Structure formats: C-alpha cells, structure tokens
Amino acid sequence: MQRIFIANWKMNMSVAEMETYFQEFSKNSDFDNAEVVVCPPMPLLSLAAQHCAELGIALGAQNVFWEEAGAFTGEVSPLLLKDLGVQYVLIGHSERRQYFGETDQYVGRKVKAAIKAGLRPVVCVGESLIELRTNRTEDVIEEQISAVMRGLDPIEARRVIIAYEPVWAIGSGMTPTGEQVKEVALQIRKLMGDLFSLKIARDIKILYGGSVSPDNVDEFTASYVLHGALVGNASLDANKFSSLIQNGGGIRTASNQQEDTTPLHEGDFA
Ligand code: PEP
C-alpha cells in the first residue's frame, strides 16, 4: 500500500535551518512505497520547492484562501500555490479553527477552491478534549466531514485526503489507541459510502495525526484502514522524520540506504 507521510512544520524554521534540514533529510529521503510531503511556512515555499524537486518528495502548504485573486490582504491564492509547485494543502487544521476562526463553511470553500486549482486538500478533522469526554467524537466527525463533502461531486471527493487529528492529541504527547483511530477511520469510510459510493469509501485516503513519533507510528499505520500520518513536532528533525517514515512502513529505496561502514572482520564470514 502506498503510504503518505506529511510534515507540518507550522510556524517553525528559518531559511538556514531549512537548508540544513534538507541536507540531512537527503541522506534518507527515498522511500519506495511512501509519498513524503513537506509543508513549510508560506515564505519558504519557493526555496523548499527546489529541494523537494531534487529529493523527489512533494511540497505542501499549510493553508490556502478560497478566492483566486483580489483584495484579500495576507491571504494566498490556490493558483499561486499551484504555480510554486505545491501539490498538497492542509485545510481546517485545528489550530486554524481555534485561533483564526476557521469554520466548517470556510473549510468547505477552501477545499473546493484547492481542488479547482489542481491541489490535493488534506482536510483535518477531530474532536476536542471536552467532546471526547462527552462522547461526542462520532457526531463531531460526522458534522465536519459532511459540511465539507456535501459541496463536492464524486470526482472532487476522490481528491480529498482526510487527516483524523484529535485536537487533544496535537502536541500533547497523548494519543488515542490504534483501535480507537481505526474505529474513527471506519466511520469516515462509512460516511463517504453514504455520501458518495462504496468505491470512494474504500479508496479515500485517511491519515492519523496527533503526537505521532517514530516510537508509536506503527500503531496507526499498521491497519489497512489508514494510509499514513500527519506529523507536527516529530517532523522538525530530519532524522526523526525519516525514522518515523521507516517505522511507519516506508521501505527505503536500496540506493538510498545509509552505507554500513562497520569494519569487516574475518570472523564475519565463518
Ligand atoms: C499537527 O499539528 O498536525 C500535529 C499532528 O502535531 P503534533 O504531531 O506535534 O502533535
């Protein structure tokens, strides 16, 4: 199964730090069965695009606006993102919902505009701690998914990737169990089946995000109902991100394996 691992750098990384990151990441960046996506802050997109092209990995953005051009100070057009070589865009991240008033309605408009521009939207959904404690996870997921998907036709819906990110798990070190994530992923597939078709329910790509690390990633990627992970903190260190991809099922391309420099001894061949 082709897996997807998305690095969300959030508001981190300077130009110099990014250069070092890609230099380090290039030592272990080739995976046969994984699409690796890096989402840097907007001003780094152009520079990052060159590195991503060299490494054969994909470029993502952390946000997008729904209009193509006009008097929208501070916003970024989906057409410009496409122009810069961006392929994926995070939409509806809980930090955008929490700090910038992003509603389901805004998320829906952004998703539609991103698809129209030829970008692949990664729609983030997930319950807060209070919603978890009051057993509202299923309702929240249904509300968030339906609000976005209702505005799409089946061809558009196929382009969407869903990232299930419980808000309480983001940056907290706490995670749900693999079983709990699997249950939500199955609910999302059922919703997609009700809204579109069985085929879309089966094919839609679903990721897990929230305190994923090299140590716990396999719990979320081992199941056939999930396709990979959206990673915040652990993606800021190139080696950690690379190990996370490998532990999550990414198979390193033979030519990219770090050379084993351990000296050979006669006894090794006995
Ligand atoms: C995120 O913000 O999308 C995220 C998953 O963050 P972290 O991995 O740091 O929890």
Side-chain angles (χ1 to χ4, degrees):
M1 185 209 278
Q2 165 87 351
R3 295 176 190 279
I4 306 173
F5 295 91
I6 304 181
N8 175 13
W9 287 356
K10 310 192 186 192
M11 203 178 72
N12 296 296
M13 212 68 85
S14 65
V15 174
E17 285 166 345
M18 183 191 69
E19 298 296 337
T20 310
Y21 184 98
F22 280 118
Q23 213 169 13
E24 206 48 49
F25 194 60
S26 69
K27 295 176 190 160
N28 286 303
S29 62
D30 263 354
F31 292 91
D32 281 338
N33 62 338
E35 170 86 323
V36 178
V37 185
V38 172
C39 302
M42 295 285 184
L44 293 181
L45 281 174
S46 260
L47 286 171
Q50 295 168 26
H51 289 287
C52 287
E54 273 164 26
L55 298 182
I57 62 177
L59 183 64
Q62 298 175 21
N63 188 23
V64 66
F65 194 51
W66 58 75
E67 293 290 347
E68 292 182 349
F72 302 103
T73 303
E75 291 297 336
V76 178
S77 158
L79 298 182
L80 177 58
L81 293 182
K82 183 73 184 162
D83 231 15
L84 291 171
V86 170
Q87 291 162 266
Y88 295 82
V89 59
L90 306 182
I91 300 181
H93 189 282
S94 69
E95 285 149 18
R96 301 248 13 124
R97 294 178 191 257
Q98 187 180 350
Y99 304 126
F100 304 99
E102 206 148 290
T103 62
D104 285 336
Q105 197 207 1
Y106 288 176
V107 174
R109 293 173 80 174
K110 289 181 174 198
V111 168
K112 190 112 184 136
I115 294 170
K116 187 169 171 225
L119 300 167
R120 199 113 201 237
V122 180
V123 177
C124 305
V125 297
E127 80 285 359
S128 64
L129 191 57
I130 184 91
E131 288 161 343
L132 172 78
R133 288 191 175 145
T134 51
N135 294 319
R136 291 208 58 237
T137 301
E138 213 178 306
D139 296 343
V140 171
I141 298 298
E142 179 164 0
E143 268 164 40
Q144 292 178 337
I145 300 269
S146 314
V148 171
M149 295 298 175
R150 258 198 306 264
L152 305 182
D153 64 33
I155 294 172
E156 292 171 324
R158 265 172 210 289
R159 302 274 305 154
V160 176
I161 296 171
I162 309 268
Y164 169 51
E165 296 209 302
V167 182
W168 53 270
I170 295 178
S172 66
M174 296 188 295
T175 62
T177 63
E179 260 324 290
Q180 285 165 328
V181 173
K182 197 166 139 190
E183 242 175 69
V184 175
L186 286 171
Q187 186 208 347
I188 294 171
R189 289 190 190 282
K190 181 164 182 326
L191 281 169
M192 294 301 281
D194 294 344
L195 288 163
F196 299 104
S197 66
L198 209 60
K199 174 143 181 53
I200 294 184
R202 213 179 300 128
D203 293 349
I204 186 126
K205 305 244 183 282
I206 304 178
L207 313 179
Y208 168 72
S211 296
V212 179
S213 71
D215 298 333
N216 66 16
V217 63
D218 61 330
E219 193 171 341
F220 308 111
T221 52
S223 155
Y224 66 96
V225 291
L226 286 152
H227 289 84
L230 174 52
V231 189
N233 265 327
S235 75
L236 290 172
D237 176 312
N239 292 318
K240 211 181 215 184
F241 187 45
S242 185
S243 304
L244 186 153
I245 296 168
Q246 190 168 28
N247 295 354
I251 299 166
R252 285 218 167 104
T253 310
S255 62
N256 193 243
Q257 309 240 0
Q258 277 213 318
E259 211 181 325
D260 184 356
T261 51
T262 322
L264 290 174
H265 300 97
E266 231 174 280
D268 295 339
F269 303 101

